[in-house]
Amino acid sequence: GWAIAIGSPFIFETTLTSEYCSDIYGERGILLGAVHGIVEVLYRRFTAQGMTPEQAFIESCESITGRIAKTISTKGILKVYQDLTGDDKLKFEEAYSASYQPAKDVLAEIYDEVKCGNEIRSVIMHGDRFEKFPIGKIDQTNTWKVGEKVRATRDESKIPLNPTTAGMYIATMMAQIDVLRENGHGYTEIVNESVIEAVDSLCPYMHAKGVAFMVDNCSRTARLGSRKWAPRFDYLLEQQACVDLDAKKPVDQARIAKFIANPVHTAVDECCKLRPDCDISTTGESSAQDDLSFTFKA
C-alpha cells in the first residue's frame, strides 16, 4: 500500500532482507560490474583477432547496449538466441557454454559476500580511507576513448548483434538469475535485478556516454562495488571462457537446453508486456550524487 500511495504503478513482492541481498549483489553483477568486465575482455579479444579498435568497440559494447539490450527489453532474453541462425547460432552457443560457469563462479562469490555482510563492510571501510583514496575514474583507457569516437559517428541502424558478445553477456545474465533463484528469490525480484535494470535502466546510460556515465550515476555503494568486481569478471572470462573458445571446446548441449527451458523466460515475457512505450532519458548532464571534485582523483 505504501508503494502504491507514493505513485508506483506496480511493485514487486519482496522482503527487506531479500531486497538488500539482490540489490547489492545485482549491481556488482550484470547491472554494472559484470557488463564492464565483459566489454573490456571482448574489446581486447576482438582487437587481437584483427578488428580495428572502432569495430571492436562496436562488436562488444555497442552490440550489448544496442541490439542485444533492446531485444531483451522488448522481446525477452530467449528472443536474442531464437533470432540467430547458422554459424551465428553456433557462435552464441559456444560463447554461452564457455562463459556460464566462470561467470557463475564470480557471481556465487559475490552473493555470499553480500549475504554475510562482508561486501557492505568493505564499502564502510572504504569510507574511512576516502580522503586518502577517493574514487578513481574508469573511462580514460583506450577502450572508452575509442568509444567516444564511435558514439560521435554512430548510426543506430547499423549496430550489429555479435553472437559471441551475446553469448557471453546472456550467459552471465542467466548465471546471475540462477544464483538468485538458488538462494530463494522470487522471479519478479530476479527479473528486476538481473534484466529490467540492466537493459532498461543502466545499459542506456553506457550507450549514451560510456561506462563512467553508467556507473557514476549510481550510489557510492554501487560505484565501489562495480570497480571491485569488474576486474574479476574480466579476468575469469579471459582466463577460462576465452581459453575454451580458442581451444574450440564443444558446445555443452545440456547447458544450452537448460537455458532454453529456464522458467525465467516466462517471467521476462510478462514484464515485456508491461514495458512502457518510452525509454529512459539519458540526455542530461551527469547526476552523480557526490561532488566530483571530491570523489575523483585529480
Side-chain angles (χ1 to χ4, degrees), residues 257-272:
K258 286 182 179 179
F259 160 61
I260 294 171
N262 197 303
V264 79
H265 297 307
T266 301
V268 173
D269 289 345
E270 288 302 312
C271 288
C272 287

Side-chain angles (χ1 to χ4, degrees), residues 184-229:
H185 293 264
Y187 279 114
T188 50
E189 183 173 57
I190 290 170
V191 173
N192 184 52
E193 297 291 355
S194 305
V195 185
I196 295 173
E197 286 194 27
V199 300
D200 290 326
S201 299
L202 293 165
C203 275
Y205 274 80
M206 185 156 66
H207 194 64
K209 297 182 182 179
V211 68
F213 190 63
M214 175 181 72
V215 172
D216 291 324
N217 269 291
C218 296
S219 68
R220 186 179 297 181
T221 301
R223 295 161 69 190
L224 290 171
S226 179
R227 285 163 166 83
K228 177 180 178 180
W229 291 99

Side-chain angles (χ1 to χ4, degrees), residues 87-293:
D87 288 343
D88 283 349
K89 180 161 281 192
L90 177 60
K91 289 177 181 178
F92 175 99
E93 292 176 346
E94 290 171 341
Y96 187 99
S97 297
S99 303
Y100 179 90
Q101 192 63 24
K104 194 173 184 183
D105 185 354
V106 182
L107 287 159
E109 181 181 355
I110 294 172
Y111 192 90
D112 288 345
E113 290 289 294
V114 171
K115 186 176 181 180
C116 74
N118 282 350
E119 189 63 25
I120 201 67
R121 189 176 297 114
S122 73
V123 173
I124 294 169
M125 289 190 295
H126 185 273
D128 295 334
R129 303 188 300 270
F130 201 73
E131 290 193 17
K132 291 183 178 179
F133 302 101
I135 298 175
K137 294 183 179 181
I138 55 173
D139 60 354
Q140 301 300 298
T141 61
N142 177 256
T143 306
W144 304 104
K145 291 299 182 183
V146 169
E148 291 177 7
K149 298 176 183 177
V150 169
R151 289 192 296 275
T153 59
R154 174 192 286 153
D155 182 342
E156 292 278 355
S157 67
K158 294 182 179 179
I159 296 176
L161 196 161
N162 185 287
T164 299
T165 299
M168 185 174 287
Y169 180 73
I170 289 177
T172 306
M173 180 176 281
M174 294 301 296
Q176 176 161 316
I177 287 167
D178 289 345
V179 168
L180 285 170
R181 190 59 184 160
E182 289 162 12
N183 281 278
H185 293 264
Y187 279 114
T188 50
E189 183 173 57
I190 290 170
V191 173
N192 184 52
E193 297 291 355
S194 305
V195 185
I196 295 173
E197 286 194 27
V199 300
D200 290 326
S201 299
L202 293 165
C203 275
Y205 274 80
M206 185 156 66
H207 194 64
K209 297 182 182 179
V211 68
F213 190 63
M214 175 181 72
V215 172
D216 291 324
N217 269 291
C218 296
S219 68
R220 186 179 297 181
T221 301
R223 295 161 69 190
L224 290 171
S226 179
R227 285 163 166 83
K228 177 180 178 180
W229 291 99
R232 288 290 303 281
F233 285 101
D234 184 339
Y235 177 82
L236 271 194
L237 288 169
E238 181 165 43
Q239 296 294 326
Q240 295 182 19
C242 290
V243 168
D244 284 352
L245 287 172
D246 290 339
K248 301 189 182 302
K249 190 172 180 179
V251 171
D252 185 337
Q253 295 295 346
R255 182 164 291 165
I256 298 299
K258 286 182 179 179
F259 160 61
I260 294 171
N262 197 303
V264 79
H265 297 307
T266 301
V268 173
D269 289 345
E270 288 302 312
C271 288
C272 287
K273 296 175 185 177
L274 298 172
R275 187 191 189 281
D277 292 334
C278 60
D279 297 326
I280 192 170
S281 174
T282 58
T283 56
E285 295 299 320
S286 174
S287 60
Q289 298 173 14
D290 308 68
D291 177 357
L292 299 185
S293 65

